[in-house]
Amino acid sequence: MILKVFFYAIVLYLLVIVYCHLKYPELRWNWENISTDKILFPSTFIWGTATAAHQVEGNCVNNWSEFEKGSKDDGQPNIKDNQQSGIACDHWNRYPEDIKLIKELGVSHYRFSVEWSKIQPAQDTFNQDALDHYSRMIDVLLENDITPVLTLHHFTHPLWFDKLGAFEKEENISIFISFCEKVFHEYSHKVEYWCTINEPAVVATQGYFSGMFPPGKKDSQLSAEVLKNLLDAHVQVYHSLKKMENGPKIKIGLVKNINQFEPWRRWHILDWIMSKAVNHFFNSSTIDYLRTGIFKIRIPGLAWIYHENPNAVHSMDYFGLNYYSHNHLKFQLSLKEPFSMEFRDEDIMTDMPYTIYGEGLYRAIQSVSALDVPIMITENGIADAEDSRRELYIKRYLYAVSKAIKDGYDVIGYFYWSLMDNFEWAFGYDMKFGLFSVDFETQERSLRDGSKAYICIVKNEN
Ligand code: FCB
């Protein structure tokens, strides 16, 4: 009898593993047989580059600048080596010269974010100077034939909003909506593309699960609730802006980072369970919510939430896809850290704990195409201080985008992250994502050699 049960258990185990293995393949292309030298795009394709206010502007006083001063329970600083964003790239003052750099790239679009804490320094005060500042910046972009793409929330918010509990509380969503309406009222006559919230799942998981982002909490149930509130905030912003003047003709999207979590050992059921659970939390809960109006995370012992919002369906004119890489998870017997992240010897690493995996961008496009709206790649890029892998990265990832278009996916644009080196959140200034390097002593910007591959593809001179 015991032998029989054991036998059936083994058979079942094998069937599940074979099923998972076949159903969820890890796409790998043979890059040796692929030519990435001549990659073609439709003439209407949107080319751009991206930044975010806190990372480039300087002198921000918000939840991040506060977090930069602190440390974790174990005494480690929140930001690598205690770095602080400070004046960053001084983009606040140097944007006219930075717009010349954007021109140099040959791209037609610039994605940036407005800093909420500068525009609304207190709950009942809008700062006209800050509003005028962004208005001028938008004008200079337009004078230079660069189309602005404006992000309303890119990881930061004012301290007063933080004190109210930020997106931990559903009732605070309306405060964010008022801010968005104000900004939309100011610029909707001259900004055609809007992004509501940048990477809700990153805000929720890094801020409330890993504790790497502010507020540095480690509470998985709260993390799921924050994710739900951020997504609801997106939905409400979308519908309220659409009702405003210019709303119907303006394009509004959510920006979501896709990062595939894969089992490290494809024959190990616990690696599969781990990676499925993390994928569900990070990726599919959001996609399913936008597709069906139902947000649910049901992971026993971690997070349990069910929420319906029919307005979530049709809450985007386009999907903003950020993609960098995938991760392999290996189950380990620890309640505190139930998995580790693993890398293969043959993986080409970037300076971040990410590998170069162009196929993943193709897969990400496939998975978000279920939403049936045009896809804009709102971020993709490499941290590469030595500039030894940037060209390879650009060519592989853009090959993946061109293949997706050829295969019928509706990808309308691509924004390289980032225009220039900047404050890379918990990693501080160590990560060099810029097409242009920045000397933070002199604020001098210089085009990196590896970035020329991007310019060639944009200008169709590759
Ligand atoms: C994304 C963020 C962006 C930048 C890149 C490297 O998750 O949206 O601000 O930090 O990662």
Side-chain angles (χ1 to χ4, degrees):
M1 178 65 185
I2 292 179
L3 262 183
K4 233 183 179 177
V5 171
F6 186 68
F7 173 76
Y8 284 124
I10 297 275
V11 170
L12 186 66
Y13 185 93
L14 289 175
L15 282 176
V16 172
I17 292 289
V18 170
Y19 172 82
C20 290
H21 188 75
L22 296 176
K23 178 125 187 5
Y24 308 104
E26 189 184 312
L27 184 63
R28 291 275 173 184
W29 292 332
N30 184 352
W31 288 101
E32 273 169 22
N33 295 339
I34 293 175
S35 165
T36 56
D37 286 337
K38 185 84 198 152
I39 313 170
L40 293 176
F41 285 85
S43 57
T44 50
F45 195 71
I46 291 172
W47 291 108
T49 186
T51 63
H54 187 87
Q55 295 178 274
V56 293
E57 276 183 1
N59 300 323
C60 296
V61 181
N62 54 31
N63 58 328
W64 262 92
S65 61
E66 205 53 26
F67 187 69
E68 289 162 20
K69 298 179 203 150
S71 51
K72 305 184 202 312
D73 294 343
D74 60 6
Q76 289 298 315
N78 284 336
I79 312 298
K80 188 163 176 273
D81 301 331
N82 263 317
Q83 298 177 68
Q84 297 197 10
S85 52
I87 71 156
C89 310
D90 193 26
H91 185 58
W92 182 263
N93 296 308
R94 292 171 194 260
Y95 72 84
E97 76 177 80
D98 291 337
I99 291 172
K100 293 204 183 97
L101 303 182
I102 301 172
K103 284 297 285 181
E104 225 177 279
L105 298 174
V107 302
S108 56
H109 288 57
Y110 177 46
R111 176 176 172 235
F112 64 96
S113 70
V114 292
E115 178 54 38
W116 182 3
S117 62
K118 287 182 179 167
I119 292 180
Q120 199 175 1
Q123 192 171 357
D124 54 3
T125 320
F126 284 102
N127 179 339
Q128 196 53 46
D129 287 348
L131 285 166
D132 291 346
H133 169 89
Y134 290 116
S135 181
R136 273 194 310 277
M137 187 168 118
I138 291 165
D139 289 343
V140 178
L141 283 166
L142 293 171
E143 281 156 21
N144 281 279
D145 289 325
I146 306 284
T147 304
V149 177
L150 189 154
T151 304
L152 288 157
H153 187 279
H154 196 125
F155 291 176
T156 57
H157 49 242
L159 285 171
W160 58 261
F161 184 68
D162 211 50
K163 291 208 177 84
L164 293 174
F167 291 102
E168 288 173 30
K169 299 207 177 114
E170 202 180 312
E171 64 263 31
N172 291 342
I173 294 176
S174 60
I175 302 173
F176 177 59
I177 312 286
S178 310
F179 160 71
C180 296
E181 284 173 347
K182 175 76 178 169
V183 178
F184 196 77
H185 173 77
E186 295 283 323
Y187 312 131
S188 63
H189 61 290
K190 49 190 182 184
V191 176
E192 187 187 335
Y193 280 96
W194 293 69
C195 309
T196 54
I197 299 179
N198 185 70
E199 302 185 344
V202 171
V203 175
T205 54
Q206 301 288 59
Y208 296 87
F209 189 74
S210 72
M212 276 185 57
F213 281 14
K217 295 188 182 172
K218 291 187 180 184
D219 176 341
S220 47
Q221 180 61 29
L222 184 57
S223 171
E225 276 156 28
V226 169
L227 178 55
K228 180 214 98 188
N229 288 339
L230 284 164
L231 293 175
D232 266 356
H234 155 75
V235 172
Q236 288 184 42
V237 172
Y238 177 83
H239 290 293
S240 48
L241 301 190
K242 278 281 156 186
K243 283 190 204 112
M244 290 175 65
E245 200 189 340
N246 300 317
K249 59 175 195 233
I250 265 36
K251 299 189 180 53
I252 306 174
L254 172 73
V255 172
K256 155 107 191 89
N257 170 303
I258 295 282
N259 185 330
Q260 300 97 355
F261 294 94
E262 331 252 21
W264 173 243
R265 298 161 293 188
R266 294 185 67 82
W267 48 266
H268 202 301
I269 195 79
L270 294 174
D271 288 9
W272 275 104
I273 292 174
M274 255 319 124
S275 59
K276 286 270 136 217
V278 179
N279 253 316
H280 172 54
F281 199 118
F282 192 86
N283 296 315
S284 37
S285 64
T286 299
I287 306 296
D288 290 348
Y289 172 69
L290 296 168
R291 209 168 40 82
T292 64
I294 295 173
F295 179 77
K296 60 174 189 264
I297 296 181
R298 286 173 172 161
I299 309 176
L302 198 81
W304 201 267
I305 191 165
Y306 181 91
H307 168 69
E308 287 182 23
N309 181 357
N311 294 332
V313 184
H314 305 303
S315 67
M316 278 172 307
D317 300 317
Y318 69 93
F319 185 90
L321 170 63
N322 290 359
Y323 187 84
Y324 291 89
S325 190
H326 64 165
N327 283 110
H328 288 96
L329 305 188
K330 184 179 179 192
F331 172 81
Q332 54 190 22
L333 259 183
S334 151
L335 269 183
K336 249 177 97 192
E337 271 174 47
F339 57 81
S340 59
M341 301 261 197
E342 303 290 330
F343 300 96
R344 299 170 206 262
D345 288 343
E346 65 271 24
D347 281 339
I348 309 174
M349 295 303 297
T350 70
D351 294 350
M352 294 283 275
Y354 305 153
T355 62
I356 297 188
Y357 182 54
E359 298 92 320
L361 179 50
Y362 184 86
R363 284 170 66 191
I365 291 168
Q366 278 184 314
S367 63
V368 305
S369 69
L371 292 168
D372 219 12
V373 287
I375 300 162
M376 181 97 90
I377 317 288
T378 33
E379 278 182 36
N380 175 243
I382 180 173
D384 177 15
E386 279 178 3
D387 198 33
S388 55
R389 293 142 293 169
R390 190 165 274 103
E391 178 178 339
L392 180 85
Y393 184 100
I394 289 171
K395 287 184 169 175
R396 286 199 179 174
Y397 282 71
L398 281 174
Y399 169 81
V401 179
S402 72
K403 177 169 164 52
I405 296 172
K406 234 183 259 146
D407 294 349
Y409 294 101
D410 189 11
V411 188
I412 56 169
Y414 174 95
F415 289 70
Y416 189 87
W417 182 274
S418 176
L419 170 63
M420 58 194 156
D421 294 342
N422 56 49
F423 181 76
E424 179 46 39
W425 311 113
F427 292 90
Y429 286 103
D430 292 13
M431 293 298 148
K432 309 294 185 189
F433 275 96
L435 289 168
F436 289 88
S437 67
V438 176
D439 177 334
F440 288 97
E441 297 284 310
T442 60
Q443 288 295 344
E444 198 185 326
R445 284 88 158 119
S446 329
L447 184 69
R448 287 203 161 91
D449 260 351
S451 312
K452 291 178 185 155
Y454 187 51
I455 300 181
C456 286
I457 295 170
V458 168
K459 295 190 175 165
N460 199 7
E461 286 167 0
N462 59 329

